[in-house]
Amino acid sequence: MLTKYTQENENDRALIDSQTATPKANATWVPPPQGLATLSVDTTIDPVNNKSSLAGILHNGNWETIAALTIPLPCYGAPQVQEAKALIISLKWFLKENFPIHYIETDCKNIRS
């Protein structure tokens, strides 16, 4: 039973890792120009308990937080679906609350253009 759980956990981790962008060693964060804001979105997934949550953080060029959002969610399926759902929900909320969004960051390479 432990072997089966370990193998399933390794399979889940491999899938999640394949959907997550790996930062480059020389990559540096470039702040948005003065007066503009970046929305950073991410999700966490707990496949064992079929739960997930999203986080959206809006920050300025000084990396100061303008607003933040966290919401627990049910699991919608594959990690890239969870990431896309997190992005949509975050965008809707921040725009509904009239926060300016000029740039968007996500670590899911399948939903970035």
Side-chain angles (χ1 to χ4, degrees):
M1 176 117 156
L2 181 58
T3 303
K4 182 179 179 189
Y5 172 79
T6 302
Q7 182 59 47
E8 288 175 4
N9 194 31
E10 288 173 6
N11 292 343
D12 290 342
R13 173 55 43 207
L15 177 61
I16 291 167
D17 288 345
S18 73
Q19 303 304 324
T20 304
T22 304
K24 293 181 175 40
N26 61 353
T28 57
W29 180 75
V30 178
Q34 199 64 16
L36 302 183
T38 297
L39 174 62
S40 299
V41 178
D42 203 0
T43 187
T44 60
I45 302 169
D46 178 359
V48 173
N49 295 308
N50 199 34
K51 294 181 181 179
S52 70
S53 62
L54 72 83
I57 302 171
L58 189 66
H59 48 84
N60 64 18
N62 296 322
W63 202 250
E64 298 167 330
T65 300
I66 299 169
L69 169 71
T70 61
I71 300 176
L73 299 170
C75 281
Y76 291 105
Q80 65 269 25
V81 173
Q82 290 293 116
E83 293 279 353
K85 202 66 160 154
L87 178 59
I88 292 167
I89 291 169
S90 294
L91 278 171
K92 284 182 178 181
W93 186 83
F94 281 96
L95 293 173
K96 183 182 98 168
E97 297 297 322
N98 294 315
F99 286 107
I101 300 171
H102 304 98
Y103 299 93
I104 298 171
E105 296 177 334
T106 180
D107 63 356
C108 184
K109 61 186 172 187
N110 287 348
I111 62 171
R112 297 185 307 180
S113 60

